[in-house]
């Protein structure tokens, strides 16, 4: 395709990676990882995130409170805090490393090997950021399912369910992985464009080669 050039692919990878980074950043601080409502009191909705727990009522609205102690948090939330922080840092570094490596940017001019290395480094960081986003979201989803179907709890006890932030986290992690893959595709396209073109051999040259081979056999 005419419009699918290395320059376009690099910018597409950067755009997708940046979108995944923003989505992961928003997901980290949203208090809607898990939601819970009780059949006994339908006007109250509870929300839980990595940093806050919130209560929504029709009279007051939404009220959030930070967790009292980090050590008192469940293990899945503690691990998710660390991994989501790593995801934000690696995703930000991926975007920063990719910007000077783009074609048309007046940075690292005359150093194609440096630009290529930065693109590869950005792809690796974007992959790492995506994996460290998908892992905590999937971990919290798994523990939520296990607790929801725990037969040891009474049936009247309300259970935590998936919140909106879980789905945005999955979307952000996949976007980061796709962005990292597009960085690798851009590197491969750049390597292909820099390959020297193979010169087609003329019929006369082929005829001389065959004649030379016959002479050698004689």
């Amino acid at each position: 395709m005419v419009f699918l050039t290395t320059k376009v692919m690099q910018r597409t990878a950067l755009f997708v990676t940046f979108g995944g980074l923003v989505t992961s950043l928003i997901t980290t601080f949203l208090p809607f990882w898990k939601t819970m409502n009780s059949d006994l009191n339908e006007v109250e909705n509870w929300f839980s995130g990595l940093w806050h727990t919130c209560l929504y009522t029709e009279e007051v609205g939404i009220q959030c409170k930070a967790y009292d102690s980090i050590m008192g948090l469940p293990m899945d939330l503690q691990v998710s805090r660390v991994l989501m922080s790593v995801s934000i840092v690696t995703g930000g570094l991926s975007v920063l490393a990719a910007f000077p490596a783009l074609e048309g940017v007046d940075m690292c001019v005359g150093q194609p090997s440096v630009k290529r290395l930065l693109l590869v480094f950005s792809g690796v960081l974007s992959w790492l950021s995506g994996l460290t986003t998908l892992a905590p979201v999937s971990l919290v989803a798994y523990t939520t399912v296990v607790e929801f179907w725990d037969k040891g709890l009474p049936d009247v006890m309300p259970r935590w369910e998936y919140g909106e932030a879980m789905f945005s986290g999955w979307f952000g992690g996949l976007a980061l992985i796709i962005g990292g893959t597009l960085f690798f595709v851009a590197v491969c396209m750049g390597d292909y464009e820099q390959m020297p073109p193979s010169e087609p051999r003329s019929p006369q040259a082929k005829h001389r080669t065959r004649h030379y081979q016959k002479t050698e056999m004689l």
Side-chain angles (χ1 to χ4, degrees):
M1 298 178 64
V2 178
F3 298 102
L4 191 58
T5 61
T6 304
K7 186 176 181 180
V8 173
M9 183 60 66
Q10 291 176 358
R11 280 156 174 75
T12 302
L14 181 61
F15 176 78
V16 174
T17 301
F18 182 75
L21 172 62
V22 173
T23 305
S24 298
L25 179 63
I26 295 174
T27 302
T28 303
F29 296 100
L30 279 178
F32 306 122
W33 282 58
K34 296 187 292 185
T35 180
M36 179 176 63
N37 53 13
S38 175
D39 295 335
L40 301 177
N41 191 357
E42 297 181 354
V43 298
E44 291 184 356
N45 290 323
W46 291 87
F47 302 99
S48 175
L50 299 181
W51 312 93
H52 299 85
T53 179
C54 300
L55 172 63
Y56 173 80
T57 57
E58 295 181 355
E59 296 81 5
V60 182
I62 188 169
Q63 293 178 314
C64 295
K65 178 184 177 182
Y67 294 111
D68 296 330
S69 175
I70 298 178
M71 302 305 297
L73 290 176
M75 184 58 64
D76 58 340
L77 293 184
Q78 295 185 28
V79 174
S80 298
R81 280 187 175 188
V82 175
L83 292 178
M84 291 301 293
S85 300
V86 173
S87 174
I88 294 172
V89 173
T90 53
L93 291 176
S94 176
V95 173
L96 292 177
F99 183 76
L102 298 177
E103 292 186 4
V105 177
D106 295 334
M107 300 180 69
C108 302
V109 179
Q111 297 177 315
S113 59
V114 176
K115 284 181 173 288
R116 183 183 185 279
L117 182 61
L118 288 176
L119 285 177
V120 173
F121 185 61
S122 299
V124 173
L125 288 178
S126 184
W127 264 78
L128 180 60
S129 179
L131 292 176
T132 51
T133 296
L134 294 176
V137 175
S138 301
L139 176 62
V140 175
Y142 172 76
T143 56
T144 302
V145 171
V146 171
E147 293 174 358
F148 185 86
W149 296 107
D150 188 1
K151 298 185 181 299
L153 298 176
D155 295 337
V156 296
M157 181 175 293
R159 315 291 178 92
W160 289 105
E161 300 180 13
Y162 290 168
E164 292 82 358
M166 302 282 287
F167 301 98
S168 65
W170 278 318
F171 177 80
L174 289 175
L176 287 166
I177 291 179
I178 293 173
T181 304
L182 293 179
F183 276 126
F184 296 137
V185 173
V187 171
C188 294
M189 292 176 63
D191 293 342
Y192 179 78
E193 291 178 356
Q194 292 179 1
M195 291 177 59
S198 57
E199 297 181 358
R201 302 180 64 182
S202 62
Q204 293 81 2
K206 294 181 180 179
H207 177 73
R208 287 196 299 266
T209 302
R210 289 197 297 267
H211 180 73
Y212 178 73
Q213 291 176 349
K214 291 181 180 179
T215 304
E216 283 187 336
M217 293 178 61
L218 294 175

